[in-house]
Amino acid sequence: MTRFNPREQIREMSGYHSPQVDVPVRLNTNESPFAPPTDWVQSIGAIAQSIDWNRYPDRAAAELCEAIARRHGVNPNQVFVANGSNEVIQTILLAYGGAGRTVATFEPTYQMYAQIARVTGAEVVEGERRADLTLDPMEIERLVVRHSPAVTFLCNPNNPTGLVEPRENLEALLEVASGIVVVDEAYAEFADWSAMELVSEDKPIAVTRTFSKTLSMAALRVGYVVGPTWFINDLRIASLPYHLDAFKQAATIAALQYTAEMEQRVAIIKSERGRIESTMRDLGVHVWPSGSNFVLFRTTDADAKNVWASLLRQGVLVRDCSSWPRLEGCLRVTVGTEAENSAFLAALAVALAE
Ligand SMILES: *Cc1c(COP(=O)(O)O)cnc(C)c1O
């Protein structure tokens, strides 16, 4: 039987893989190491029972948008929610990308921008970071002026480098931008500044957030974007009807009561991050200063693949970035619980001595 061919963009792709291995210490996907607040977990049964399961959910997710708008001091019409911020990105690219349009990224950065942009038919143009993985504002200007992208992604803090983007870089981008500027703030709570305050009706800037990282709810699949009303209206048109199920809307509203508790956890992660960074530097490893809940590092004397395999043999899974373009020799570790981090650091010392 003949094999039916998918679209060219799909044929050229291998998909996004983050292999999960069953090990005691899993530090490869930047999730929170903590379970969500117990009170929220215990309220889930009652929330599920309160749903009118025979009815479609509120299509606009109005109450949820209001709750998120309150959190950021914006108008509910400036909020669009989807099933994870990846779906937010997809909806933005369905509305503003597509065939005949250009989408800009600054590499290395989160791989899903280029992946989803291509799947939805746009052409991707890649700006380059410096050798130390920081981004030169001149490069932003060069890329944007040359290609006039319909959408430009800036990830702050940047995944997989962990580096916080200087505010001047976003200002440089806004100065020359011809299309929408999307600032992905999946890790904003761990950083020292946010672009959220720049959102206004007359600027083409949109800021995305997720419940998957800081808020310990990766399994719930909720993310959102805050942007100008006209932009949010376009996303509502591009999204599927009833894309957010009723349970998710109610459970997410309930989860927003626990943001104070989540902030305490952020403080723990940041302090553990400092401990990981300094211990690794003492071990002679090159560490990029992180404003996030993960740390990118390069083992200068040992081969990264060997270090990764040795860590795995010792029951610690980190992300192997060493075959990714521009990240030769690099591994990325998510900040875990104190015990997990200690296990990782001890295993790393062994791996480096092998
Ligand atoms: C993890 C991550 C996301 C993910 O999002 P979901 O809300 O789980 O879809 C988005 N952007 C970046 C940079 C991430 O690292």
Side-chain angles (χ1 to χ4, degrees), residues 40-252:
W40 178 76
V41 175
Q42 282 173 351
S43 70
I44 281 175
I47 292 171
Q49 298 204 346
S50 74
I51 303 293
D52 286 333
W53 288 102
N54 54 319
R55 299 294 176 191
Y56 280 111
D58 174 12
R59 185 166 170 173
E63 207 184 320
L64 175 55
C65 288
E66 272 164 37
I68 290 170
R70 266 197 302 280
R71 183 173 184 210
H72 296 295
V74 298
N75 190 302
N77 300 332
Q78 296 178 309
V79 179
F80 173 79
V81 190
N83 297 287
S85 54
N86 284 331
E87 192 180 66
V88 171
I89 292 165
Q90 184 186 57
T91 310
I92 293 171
L93 288 168
L94 285 170
Y96 284 87
R101 293 188 163 212
T102 302
V103 172
T105 65
F106 297 96
E107 300 296 329
T109 191
Y110 188 50
Q111 294 173 326
M112 292 309 290
Y113 311 140
Q115 161 102 10
I116 302 172
R118 290 191 180 111
V119 166
T120 51
E123 190 198 333
V124 177
V125 291
E126 296 178 337
E128 296 291 329
R129 286 167 195 272
R130 300 181 181 104
D132 67 359
L133 302 180
T134 61
L135 181 54
D136 183 348
M138 298 293 286
E139 171 67 357
I140 297 177
E141 204 183 310
R142 182 195 70 80
L143 191 77
V144 171
V145 169
R146 177 147 173 220
H147 296 283
S148 302
V151 183
T152 302
F153 286 98
L154 204 60
C155 188
N156 181 45
N158 189 36
N159 183 8
T161 65
L163 294 174
V164 174
E165 207 59 70
R167 195 187 285 261
E168 301 79 66
N169 280 4
L170 178 57
E171 283 162 4
L173 176 52
L174 286 171
E175 195 105 323
V176 291
S178 51
I180 302 289
V181 171
V182 178
V183 185
D184 182 343
E185 294 197 344
Y187 305 97
E189 292 86 350
F190 303 103
D192 50 15
W193 80 279
S194 161
M196 195 62 90
E197 66 203 50
L198 296 179
V199 172
S200 77
E201 287 302 306
D202 53 11
K203 277 204 225 67
I205 179 178
V207 177
T208 67
R209 294 280 182 100
T210 176
F211 279 66
S212 298
K213 311 287 164 56
T214 321
L215 291 164
S216 295
M217 294 174 190
L220 189 64
R221 309 303 301 128
V222 186
Y224 59 92
V225 59
V226 178
T229 309
W230 46 268
F231 168 80
I232 298 298
N233 285 343
D234 293 334
L235 301 190
R236 293 200 204 289
I237 293 168
S239 65
L240 292 172
Y242 311 113
H243 69 292
L244 277 187
D245 69 72
F247 171 77
K248 179 174 308 197
Q249 293 185 34
T252 306

Side-chain angles (χ1 to χ4, degrees), residues 297-299 302-309 320 322 328-331:
F297 62 100
R298 182 178 271 149
T299 52
D303 179 69
K305 293 240 180 283
N306 291 340
V307 172
W308 183 85
D320 180 7
S322 64
E328 299 87 277
C330 290
L331 302 173

